[in-house]
Amino acid sequence: MRRWSVRMLAVAVAASATVACSATPEQVPESAGSAPSGTLASALGGTAGSAPVESPASTSADAAGSTAVSSPVGSAAGTDPATVLADRPFASTSPFNVPVVAAPAVDPDSAAMIARVSRAGLGHANLVEFGIPIYDATPDTPRKSVQCTITQWGPCPLADESPRPIPANAEPGVGRDGAMVVVERAADTADEYFQAAPDGTGWTTGWGTITSLSGSGWEGGTTGAGASRLGGIIRVAEIQAGAIPHALVLESDTACAGSSRPPAVKTDGESTRPDCIPEGARLQLDPTIDVTAIPDITPGEVAVAQALQVYGGYLIDRADTSLAVGFEVAPDATPANPGAVYTQAGLAWDYYGMPHIPWDRLRVLQTWDG
């Protein structure tokens, strides 16, 4: 639902030049045995699949055994995996919250799809310009009138249920999507805004919806695939804890035009290439890789990679880049700095390409539930 700006492209070029001397995915060592003690799944109370994964770029199989998903990086002060798990939205049965099953069926076109989506060797972290500002609301949060300006998309739940809780310090994302999410746990709701802006004493938004925090997160949110805008977003606290207890959300210029697959309910994809990926497709990183052994990998990249091994990621939006990953905007973020937590985790600038994750070792699953 968004395009890359000129500034975004410039930052991406600079980032690529900066990491050119770092280890590439081809230099990544693989594990060849049973999983080390203390996997991400066990730390979060879940289980990871036990079957090895065949690399999309190779027909050779790894040694049989348990998945080698390594322990997450050490928790930062004040945040631990149990805390981020408790804060995770949506039902435990949500496609966002169910780990990938053991030995899932792989899409027969996975190798071609992954070759296309991983062609740059980068997965850009949307930390600022196209990051998602997320605010908490309580019954005492001021209620503001909300008007929707895009009428051809049908009824607008935010306008129909106006006024809505909007904190006084709320600011939409600075990118052209103008995204914003307001979570009111007491009401079991997440208000999702697309192209939001304050307007006098109220607010306008291109379109917006109200999502149940106890639902699936796929009831028709403000993303191209109809997923919740809150769903799959990597939170600041999760990077601080070194554990992401849910599937991620991905964007790509290779999203298929006119077709999607469950759990997606629609698509905004535009690609007509034979190696396009339908929105709603679940991608998983080879879980046999010991990502902690990758040279120069940052703590933030470890957390992202381990989540992709255990939970995978869903393609939910088109973009003007090969691959991007959704993050929450940090409260201390500026245009020049994504914030202290991200920076300390090695995600040092907006659109950081996370080049140490072996993106060519992703695979596209045939169905989201195996």
Side-chain angles (χ1 to χ4, degrees), residues 61-82:
D62 293 308
S66 301
T67 52
V69 182
S70 303
S71 303
V73 295
S75 301
T79 308
D80 58 56

Side-chain angles (χ1 to χ4, degrees), residues 10-27:
V11 172
V13 171
S16 298
T18 301
V19 302
C21 61
S22 301
T24 64
E26 289 72 26
Q27 297 171 310

Side-chain angles (χ1 to χ4, degrees), residues 146 148 153 155-159 191-194 205-210 220 222:
V146 177
C148 295
W153 290 2
C156 183
L158 285 179
D191 290 5
E192 305 180 17
Y193 293 79
F194 172 70
T205 186
W207 195 81
T209 192
I210 303 170
T222 55

Side-chain angles (χ1 to χ4, degrees), residues 55-58 106-116 118 275 362-364:
S55 168
S58 171
V106 176
D107 191 293
D109 295 324
S110 176
M113 292 173 172
I114 296 305
R116 175 64 182 171
S118 68
D275 52 6
L362 289 169
R363 61 177 180 177
V364 179

Side-chain angles (χ1 to χ4, degrees), residues 334-345:
T334 68
N337 189 310
V341 170
Y342 290 144
T343 300
Q344 291 166 9

